[in-house]
Amino acid sequence: MEVIFVLIAVSLVLAITFLILFFRAMKDGQFDDGYTPSIRILFENQPKKSIKNQPKKSKSYE
């Protein structure tokens, strides 16, 4: 039974450690994407189809 308490304590310490490291990496900009904005201009954007520009469907009761 004591082993379960030790394992729970160890897992909580590991989880808190990983959470702190994750927030630290976020603060330091580890996950900022510096590459994609520089190449975005190279790709052609496809125009989005608007609902306003589509013709209205007529109901036929034939």
Side-chain angles (χ1 to χ4, degrees):
M1 190 68 176
E2 293 175 12
V3 173
I4 293 175
F5 295 129
V6 171
L7 288 175
I8 290 173
V10 169
S11 65
L12 285 175
V13 168
L14 280 175
I16 291 170
T17 303
F18 285 128
L19 187 65
I20 290 170
L21 290 175
F22 173 73
F23 284 129
R24 183 185 223 181
M26 290 292 294
K27 183 180 176 186
D28 291 342
Q30 179 74 29
F31 301 112
D32 290 345
D33 185 13
Y35 179 69
T36 303
S38 65
I39 64 165
R40 187 174 295 151
I41 196 167
L42 300 175
F43 298 108
E44 186 174 332
N45 291 334
Q46 298 294 327
K48 294 182 180 179
K49 292 183 180 179
S50 168
I51 295 175
K52 295 178 184 177
N53 295 338
Q54 293 179 354
K56 293 183 180 180
K57 294 181 181 177
S58 62
K59 295 180 182 178
S60 82
Y61 296 102
E62 296 178 36

